């Protein structure tokens, strides 16, 4: 469900009005007012489906309007309406702004009159706080920070200079260092005949208590679901956590780490500097990823991985030693 604190519904709009020149199946006059993923869409929603999308089983019984390729239309027998397109994700991305609009900072005052600040909140010069935002007692908002509409920040938070927070709910005792950006749209692109299309992100960022986020780090909001950061996570400077990621309790993430979309990081995971993790991976509870490792596989709980591509540490060490011996032997033979 789209959170109305962060997104404004523009509908309802009929399916015919959404795609006046497109091929439509079913009830073209069906009103649509929301958007959702294929596995969660209800009667008043618009969704899309492609072969790599999740939700094929749910789509079979879904009453939503669906953007789908003609060859796959049989997968949505109960859809109220179908908008047929060879590139469903790209067309869906173009239709979303007709139904949903992200709320943005607006108005003439630095602190919107509808914002709620509890006792002893200090706001430095140049900071902007949007409509409906809430900030807990004894918090500090640094110079030129921007707190977007609807954002909630708990008590005793420290928001550094130039921090930008949008589409986010943040717990108590957060420490967000200068220049961090939380809740911006992530990197979602759909191919289209006219060129790449940005896919709208309509989720949130949920950050729980006692989380530290380093300077100039970025945490992207989810596409439909949320990006979540659990309690006591410590994120170093210049890190990136992409959309729909889930970071478990007490995880430690060193500088320059990059975690691709829809990756799950378990409780107590430690990542060294410059770690890169591919999308849709699972890093098990208590695992350690050595600095500079590139992870393309799921990592079991408690294991230590290293290397490029990353693998269990003992295996990586054996392979590195073998290569070293072979290289030394080749040099000796060449003398």
């Amino acid at each position: 469900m789209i959170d109305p604190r962060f997104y404004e519904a523009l509908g309802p709009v009929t399916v015919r009005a959404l795609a006046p020149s497109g091929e439509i199946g079913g009830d073209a006059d069906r009103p649509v007012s929301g958007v959702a993923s294929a596995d969660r869409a209800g009667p008043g929603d618009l969704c899309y489906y492609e072969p790599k999308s999740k939700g094929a089983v749910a789509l079979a019984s879904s009453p939503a309007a669906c953007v789908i390729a003609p060859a796959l239309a049989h997968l949505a027998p109960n859809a109220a309406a179908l908008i047929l397109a060879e590139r469903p994700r790209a067309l869906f991305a173009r239709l979303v702004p007709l139904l949903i609009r992200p709320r943005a900072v607006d108005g003439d005052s630095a602190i919107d009159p509808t914002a709620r600040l509890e006792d002893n909140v200090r706001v430095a010069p140049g900071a902007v706080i949007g409509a409906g935002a809430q900030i807990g007692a004894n918090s500090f908002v640094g110079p030129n920070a921007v707190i977007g509409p609807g954002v909630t920040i708990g008590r005793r938070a420290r928001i550094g200079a130039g921090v930008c927070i949008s589409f986010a709910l943040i717990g108590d005792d957060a420490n967000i260092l200068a220049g961090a950006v939380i809740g911006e749209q992530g990197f979602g692109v759909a191919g289209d005949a006219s060129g790449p299309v940005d896919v709208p992100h309509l989720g949130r960022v949920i950050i729980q208590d006692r989380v530290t986020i380093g300077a100039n780090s970025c945490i992207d909001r989810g596409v439909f679901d949320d990006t979540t950061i659990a309690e006591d996570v410590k994120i170093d400077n210049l890190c990136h956590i992409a959309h729909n990621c889930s970071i478990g309790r007490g995880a430690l993430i060193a500088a320059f780490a990059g975690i691709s979309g829809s990756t799950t990081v378990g409780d107590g995971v430690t990542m060294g500097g410059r770690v890169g993790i591919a999308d849709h991976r699972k890093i098990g509870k208590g695992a350690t990823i050595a600095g500079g490792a590139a992870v393309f596989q799921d990592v079991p709980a408690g294991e230590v991985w290293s290397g490029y591509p990353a693998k269990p540490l003992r295996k990586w060490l054996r392979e590195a030693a073998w290569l070293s011996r072979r290289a030394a032997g080749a040099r000796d033979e060449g003398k």
Side-chain angles (χ1 to χ4, degrees):
M1 180 179 177
I2 303 302
D3 192 328
R5 289 173 291 187
F6 304 124
Y7 302 96
E8 178 184 1
L10 304 177
V13 180
T14 66
V15 172
R16 190 190 309 277
L18 283 174
S21 60
E23 185 179 353
I24 298 173
D27 182 6
D29 294 319
R30 168 59 71 98
V32 176
S33 57
V35 296
S37 57
D39 60 334
R40 296 185 180 180
D45 291 329
L46 178 72
C47 66
Y48 77 93
Y49 183 78
E50 288 184 335
K52 293 183 180 180
S53 304
K54 63 181 181 180
V57 174
L59 182 65
S61 59
S62 174
C66 184
V67 186
I68 195 168
L72 301 177
H74 63 280
L75 296 176
N78 293 303
L82 299 176
I83 300 175
L84 303 178
E86 293 298 336
R87 295 181 173 89
R89 188 166 179 245
L91 179 57
F92 177 82
R94 296 184 187 281
L95 297 181
V96 166
L98 303 177
L99 294 168
I100 303 291
R101 178 168 58 204
R103 299 188 187 276
V105 172
D106 197 6
D108 298 326
S109 59
I111 301 178
D112 192 277
T114 63
R116 294 174 53 191
L117 278 58
E118 292 186 353
D119 294 341
N120 199 33
V121 172
R122 293 178 295 141
V123 180
V128 176
I129 300 176
Q134 300 181 47
I135 302 177
N138 301 306
S139 293
F140 171 73
V141 180
N144 300 316
V146 178
I147 311 300
V151 168
T152 297
I153 299 173
R155 296 179 172 89
R156 300 175 299 279
R158 293 195 60 82
I159 310 300
V163 167
C164 293
I165 303 175
S166 56
F167 310 97
L169 306 175
I170 299 175
D172 294 337
D173 300 296
N175 186 20
I176 302 175
L177 278 61
V181 178
I182 298 170
E184 274 292 356
Q185 177 160 309
F187 187 68
V189 178
D192 191 37
S194 60
V197 181
D198 290 326
V199 176
H201 287 50
L202 302 170
R204 308 173 299 182
V205 175
I206 308 296
I207 297 175
Q208 297 184 359
D209 297 342
R210 301 177 302 280
V211 170
T212 296
I213 298 170
N216 293 317
S217 290
C218 295
I219 301 175
D220 300 337
R221 67 183 186 266
V223 179
F224 292 113
D225 299 325
D226 298 325
T227 301
T228 60
I229 313 294
E231 296 97 332
D232 299 303
V233 169
K234 307 300 178 186
I235 300 171
D236 200 355
N237 302 335
L238 294 165
C239 293
H240 178 221
I241 297 174
H243 57 248
N244 295 102
C245 285
S246 175
I247 310 299
R249 293 177 179 84
L252 305 178
I253 301 173
F256 293 101
I259 303 175
S260 300
S262 300
T263 289
T264 299
V265 175
D267 295 348
V269 167
T270 298
M271 296 184 192
R274 293 190 181 275
V275 164
I277 300 180
D279 58 321
H280 293 84
R281 297 301 93 201
K282 293 183 178 180
I283 311 301
K285 180 177 179 180
T288 296
I289 312 297
V295 180
F296 299 104
Q297 305 176 56
D298 292 350
V299 177
E303 292 196 3
V304 180
W305 281 40
S306 183
Y308 189 107
K311 58 195 68 176
L313 179 62
R314 290 181 180 276
K315 181 178 181 182
W316 180 77
L317 290 172
R318 286 196 302 268
E319 291 179 358
W322 182 84
L323 285 172
S324 179
R325 291 193 298 270
R326 290 298 298 269
R331 286 196 300 270
D332 292 341
E333 291 175 3
K335 290 181 179 178

